[in-house]
Amino acid sequence: MARAIWTGVITFGLVSVPVGLFTATEDHTVHFHQLQRGTSDRIHNRRVNERTGDEVASEDIVKGFETGEGEYVVVEPDELDEIAPGRSQTIDITDFVDLEEIEPVYFDRTYYLAPRGKEYTKVYELLRAALAEAGKVGIATFVMHGKQCLTALRAEDKVLVLETLHWADEVRDPRQELRELPSGRAGKGKELDMALQLVGALSGRWEPSRYHDTYQEKVRELVRAKAEGQEIAPAEEAPAATNVVDLMTVLQGSIDQARGGGETERAPQPKKPSPARKTARTTTGKRGKKTAAGKAPPKSARASTTTRGQRGTGKSELRELSKTELYERATENDIADRSKMSREELINALTHAGQRRKQNAA
């Protein structure tokens, strides 16, 4: 059972209801301990007096606001509580607004609110139902962990949700902070039509369970593989930026892929046939007819077909492969330090390995 991280009352008008505040999300990040390299010795952070070097107990630490170099105004924790009497235990709703009016950038963290006893459920449900029926959210403030929070209370099925909001002066204006923003409307005409087609082809219902934190999954796989003395394939490199000249072609390819390859999976890129396969498909028999693709190629073509460990050694063909495929081939060829190599380094290593095999065969 979850435990409340804050308790107090919600007030709207003269109505109040005691509630508890609960976190709505949980962290699934893989956490590591800090160790000294080459040892299993844990590293700990300690609060140390920078002048004496002595460790200081938490109860002996106070807050200080610097007014000048080396000069501080000291503030005790109870003094901060005294300047917010009562408000630290009250979520005071002052306004009701439409949720759509609040820009997403203002939202910070999400919490659940629950009544602190069965005797308070009627008033709690009254507020929840009123918000749901009106389609409004309640704007309120309260103090938690020594900080005043601006919040929006909204209704969900059977529960009140509290969203903490950033204050107006905490939100940056992108037009003042960012460079290289478009000065006018860039997308128009056929390009915009194709972009809208792509959005339509990739549109669907919001299903949160479809999405997974693949990076954390890979971190766990890395830890497991290292514990078992195995290697793990490196991740794909980020795609290159789209050339504006090729924009129409890229958009059309994206639309075709979305319509034919599903919504969440990238369609595999076609690979160029190896030189051996080209020879097999165009070899002419004694009567001057081309050999069928499904038939066994003549001896000359069979002799040129590479083995599993020798395939794909030409740079032009290797550049058609993904980094994962390159890594798999490097594993087949037993190339040292392959897990540390970039995509280009894997291509060079595989090319050199192919050249060495040809020299040994000769």
Side-chain angles (χ1 to χ4, degrees):
M1 182 68 68
R3 296 182 60 182
I5 62 171
W6 178 94
T7 57
V9 296
I10 301 174
T11 65
F12 57 110
L14 299 177
V15 181
S16 63
V17 54
V19 294
L21 188 72
F22 300 81
T23 55
T25 60
E26 59 184 4
D27 181 20
H28 66 186
T29 302
V30 177
H31 296 281
F32 294 93
H33 293 298
Q34 291 182 320
L35 305 176
Q36 184 175 354
R37 189 185 300 278
T39 74
S40 296
D41 300 337
R42 291 274 301 274
I43 303 300
H44 293 280
N45 295 322
R46 292 194 173 111
R47 296 179 175 88
V48 176
N49 183 315
E50 67 175 18
R51 180 178 58 83
T52 64
D54 297 332
E55 188 173 353
V56 181
S58 57
E59 60 268 19
D60 292 330
I61 298 176
V62 294
K63 296 180 183 292
F65 183 84
E66 189 170 14
T67 58
E69 187 172 351
E71 297 180 356
Y72 296 89
V73 172
V74 176
V75 179
E76 297 288 347
D78 56 351
E79 292 178 316
L80 292 173
D81 292 335
E82 288 172 1
I83 64 174
R87 293 186 59 83
S88 61
Q89 300 297 314
T90 306
I91 299 175
D92 186 18
I93 300 177
T94 57
D95 304 281
F96 293 95
V97 303
D98 292 332
L99 179 62
E100 293 76 13
E101 292 183 7
I102 306 175
E103 297 177 28
V105 69
Y106 282 90
F107 289 98
D108 184 17
R109 300 194 66 178
T110 304
Y111 299 88
Y112 293 138
L113 284 168
R116 292 206 334 255
K118 288 186 178 181
E119 63 270 32
Y120 307 121
T121 56
K122 182 177 180 178
V123 182
Y124 175 93
E125 174 57 19
L126 177 66
L127 174 58
R128 191 209 65 80
L131 290 174
E133 186 70 23
K136 300 285 186 179
V137 296
I139 304 301
T141 59
F142 80 113
V143 176
M144 181 171 65
H145 303 320
K147 177 182 178 182
Q148 187 176 34
C149 302
L150 179 66
T151 68
L153 273 74
R154 59 183 178 85
E156 283 195 2
D157 186 29
K158 301 294 184 183
V159 67
L160 281 173
V161 176
L162 182 143
E163 307 272 3
T164 57
L165 305 174
H166 294 291
W167 299 94
D169 59 0
E170 294 178 327
V171 177
R172 294 177 174 178
D173 185 342
R175 292 164 295 185
Q176 297 180 2
E177 301 290 339
L178 308 180
R179 301 176 182 176
E180 310 301 335
L181 289 178
S183 56
R185 185 177 177 184
K188 58 183 178 180
K190 187 172 288 187
E191 291 177 350
L192 179 57
D193 291 340
M194 294 185 72
L196 290 172
Q197 289 181 49
L198 178 57
V199 171
L202 294 173
S203 294
R205 292 179 60 83
W206 165 240
E207 299 177 16
S209 60
R210 288 177 54 199
Y211 307 97
H212 304 278
D213 188 343
T214 57
Y215 175 69
Q216 293 301 320
E217 291 172 358
K218 286 187 176 294
V219 171
R220 291 187 177 90
E221 177 62 19
L222 172 63
V223 172
R224 184 201 62 77
K226 289 181 72 70
E228 297 177 0
Q230 300 176 359
E231 290 187 354
I232 190 168
E236 292 286 333
E237 292 182 350
T242 300
N243 191 322
V244 177
V245 177
D246 303 326
L247 184 56
M248 292 292 289
T249 302
V250 174
L251 282 169
Q252 186 60 59
S254 301
I255 293 170
D256 294 341
Q257 176 180 298
R259 288 174 175 170
E263 293 182 352
T264 58
E265 295 182 3
R266 293 183 60 186
Q269 296 297 317
K271 297 182 177 64
K272 294 181 180 179
S274 64
R277 288 176 181 168
K278 287 183 179 178
T279 305
R281 291 179 181 272
T282 57
T283 302
T284 304
K286 291 182 180 180
R287 296 183 182 180
K289 295 182 180 180
K290 291 183 178 179
T291 305
K295 304 280 186 177
K299 289 184 178 180
S300 60
R302 273 200 298 267
S304 64
T305 303
T306 56
T307 63
R308 186 169 184 258
Q310 296 173 327
R311 60 192 173 95
T313 55
K315 265 195 176 183
S316 59
E317 183 182 352
L318 291 172
R319 292 192 188 281
E320 297 292 325
L321 305 180
S322 68
K323 188 175 181 181
T324 300
E325 291 170 321
L326 291 169
Y327 181 84
E328 290 172 354
R329 295 200 180 188
T331 302
E332 294 169 4
N333 286 272
D334 197 24
I335 294 176
D337 296 327
R338 54 189 176 272
S339 62
K340 301 177 182 178
M341 292 183 181
S342 65
R343 187 173 185 277
E344 192 63 30
E345 289 171 336
L346 285 169
I347 291 173
N348 291 334
L350 286 168
T351 302
H352 293 325
Q355 292 172 348
R356 285 196 299 271
R357 278 196 302 273
K358 289 180 180 179
Q359 292 172 357
N360 294 336

